[in-house]
Amino acid sequence: MGFAVFYAALPITLMAWTDANKAKMTGPTAAVFANLVDQVMWQRFIGPCQWVGVAILLACWAIAAWKTFYGDGLTDDELAGATWMAKIVARLLR
């Protein structure tokens, strides 16, 4: 989820917002400012958001690999907690 949000959803939303605001620009310098806004959004927000998404993905892969090779099975209490948390997440995603 974190990868999808930071790598795709947030950048798409930011670009849609900037496109809507660029359409409102008028005057002889509108094209220059529109190009500047694109560059700033990419360098300051979208690029870092995508890097954070990739970092989240790699961290989750590392945790999954660690659990696969070195993790013990869950105890009954941990399994009950995971089931409770899974129910909450499932209800939020509906």
Side-chain angles (χ1 to χ4, degrees), residues 22 25-39:
K22 286 190 306 185
M25 291 183 189
T26 59
T29 59
V32 175
F33 281 122
N35 188 20
L36 181 66
V37 167
D38 279 340
Q39 290 177 3

Side-chain angles (χ1 to χ4, degrees), residues 23-92:
K24 296 177 187 176
M25 291 183 189
T26 59
T29 59
V32 175
F33 281 122
N35 188 20
L36 181 66
V37 167
D38 279 340
Q39 290 177 3
V40 168
M41 287 300 289
W42 178 257
Q43 297 242 338
R44 298 291 180 182
F45 298 106
I46 295 172
C49 279
Q50 289 183 337
W51 279 105
V52 168
V54 170
I56 290 170
L57 181 67
L58 292 176
C60 290
W61 277 353
I63 291 169
W66 179 267
K67 290 286 188 179
T68 300
F69 295 120
Y70 300 110
D72 297 331
L74 296 174
T75 64
D76 290 335
D77 292 334
E78 292 171 340
L79 189 58
T83 303
W84 175 77
M85 191 166 307
K87 288 178 185 177
I88 289 176
V89 171
R91 286 185 183 154
L92 290 175

Side-chain angles (χ1 to χ4, degrees), residues 4-18:
V5 167
F6 280 98
Y7 195 81
L10 194 56
I12 289 170
T13 305
L14 287 172
M15 287 308 293
W17 178 78
T18 56

